[in-house]
Amino acid sequence: VPYKTYFKVCGNLEELGSWDLDKAPAMEWNEGDVWTLDVVAPSGSQVEYKLVKIPRREPIKWESGENRQVQ
């Protein structure tokens, strides 16, 4: 991943920005090029989300395809 590029997880829950990229949480880079994000969702939630790549000097790129889902 190029320097100053980061990722956000944007989705249907308030904790994921309610599909508003400005409010979506950023993932954290960890040793070994592992990106993580801890989110606590309300019990029984249907979670839909996409990963969003935010590079320093290129257009923002939303993950293609269907939304990811977690129940």
Side-chain angles (χ1 to χ4, degrees), residues 21-58:
L21 188 56
D22 291 333
K23 295 178 182 175
M27 298 182 80
E28 183 178 312
W29 181 88
N30 296 279
E31 211 49 52
D33 288 330
V34 175
W35 292 83
T36 61
L37 175 66
D38 291 327
V39 175
V40 178
S43 180
S45 297
Q46 169 88 20
V47 182
E48 290 193 31
Y49 67 96
K50 285 192 178 279
L51 300 176
V52 184
K53 180 180 178 184
I54 305 183
R56 183 174 153 198
R57 296 185 180 186
E58 299 171 22

Side-chain angles (χ1 to χ4, degrees), residues 5 11 15 22-23 47 55 60 62 67 69:
T5 294
E15 294 83 356
D22 291 333
K23 295 178 182 175
V47 182
I60 292 170
W62 285 74
N67 296 342
Q69 297 184 6

Side-chain angles (χ1 to χ4, degrees), residues 9-20 23-25 39-42 45-49 70:
V9 178
C10 194
N12 65 323
L13 300 180
E14 184 177 343
E15 294 83 356
L16 298 176
S18 300
W19 293 113
D20 181 343
K23 295 178 182 175
V39 175
V40 178
S45 297
Q46 169 88 20
V47 182
E48 290 193 31
Y49 67 96
V70 178

